[in-house]
Amino acid sequence: MSVSRINKSEVVDLLKYVGKEMIANRDVFQELDARWGDGDLGNTTKRGFSAINEKIDEWSDLSLSEILKKVGTTFNRAAASTCGVFFATSFIEAAKEVKGKGAIDVATLCKAMKAATQGVVDRGDAEVGDKTLLDALAPSAEAVCEAKNQDLSLDTAVEKAERAAAKGVKNTEGMTPKQGRGSWLGEEAVKVQDPGAKFVHLFLLHCEEYINEPE
């Protein structure tokens, strides 16, 4: 059965599930990020999502928009970092597009992901092709908006977003990074996938898992 929308309580359950799975990927992020420099993305991910999962049940009286904003700011406070800043930016900008809504459908998700993408572009002064998380986030947002234009269901839109993000991560192999510490690491940075793009892909992968096979 297709899913047309998810309400506030379902979004909270999704975020709990995704948070648990992202924490379980700690070693994946650590290993990948180690090839770029400090190798701390796994620890950052664990701290950020652990903080969210500790607090999220306290936000039950908040609106859906307020919850999304809390998710972003809580992650960044618990795991202050480049990843934390962009995660917070994404969720704060997405929250603006959800304001006044009690559920997320494909049209709302399209607006939210476009806003998140633009927020990262503006905050990081980056663009697709710079070998950053945008190489996964931007095509996934486009995939959701294409699904909206085709009147597809939410579960199908998220599946398409995950596939677009996976392709985006793969495309970062061989790219020369133009932002952050990767820009001065030379040939080694060219060979490896971008950790931020991988973060986006796995986040969407676990969203897709939850929506299509909710526990």
Side-chain angles (χ1 to χ4, degrees):
M1 183 174 67
S2 65
V3 177
S4 61
R5 65 184 64 209
I6 52 175
N7 61 31
K8 184 176 78 170
S9 65
E10 290 168 331
V11 170
V12 168
D13 287 343
L14 178 149
L15 289 169
K16 289 179 181 178
Y17 173 82
V18 171
K20 179 185 69 175
E21 295 301 316
M22 291 293 280
I23 291 169
N25 283 306
R26 173 192 172 278
D27 290 347
V28 173
F29 294 128
Q30 287 291 102
E31 181 179 353
L32 185 59
D33 198 40
R35 298 179 64 184
W36 284 70
D38 62 17
D40 200 42
L41 182 57
N43 290 332
T44 296
T45 300
K46 182 177 180 180
R47 288 194 299 269
F49 282 107
S50 293
I52 291 168
N53 282 351
E54 287 172 6
K55 295 286 187 179
I56 198 166
D57 286 331
E58 300 175 9
W59 305 334
S60 58
D61 292 334
L62 299 179
S63 69
L64 181 53
S65 176
E66 290 169 330
I67 288 172
L68 294 184
K69 184 177 180 180
K70 283 280 191 181
V71 166
T73 56
T74 298
F75 187 105
N76 193 36
R77 279 198 298 268
S81 59
T82 301
C83 176
V85 168
F86 288 131
F87 187 90
T89 298
S90 297
F91 270 79
I92 290 169
E93 294 304 316
K96 295 175 184 177
E97 301 301 325
V98 180
K99 191 172 183 179
K101 298 182 181 294
I104 295 177
D105 57 13
V106 179
T108 302
L109 185 60
C110 167
K111 291 179 180 179
M113 291 188 68
K114 284 176 66 177
T117 301
Q118 189 60 50
V120 172
V121 168
D122 294 341
R123 189 65 184 263
D125 192 25
E127 59 187 29
V128 173
D130 284 353
K131 195 165 186 169
T132 69
L133 62 90
L134 282 171
D135 290 299
L137 182 59
S140 64
E142 291 174 4
V144 170
C145 294
E146 288 174 5
K148 180 208 71 165
N149 293 337
Q150 297 168 6
D151 293 322
L152 300 177
S153 61
L154 180 64
D155 53 312
T156 300
V158 174
E159 182 178 353
K160 287 181 175 293
E162 182 273 322
R163 291 179 180 176
K167 183 177 180 181
V169 173
K170 183 67 176 176
N171 287 344
T172 65
E173 296 177 11
M175 284 183 181
T176 300
K178 300 177 183 177
Q179 301 285 337
R181 66 179 181 272
S183 62
W184 46 262
L185 285 176
E187 187 63 25
E188 180 62 23
V190 174
K191 298 175 184 177
V192 71
Q193 293 178 348
D194 179 69
K198 187 69 173 180
F199 181 99
V200 171
H201 171 238
L202 290 182
F203 185 93
L204 289 169
L205 173 65
H206 299 312
C207 287
E208 190 271 334
E209 289 172 349
Y210 178 84
I211 289 174
N212 283 285
E213 295 184 30
E215 292 186 341

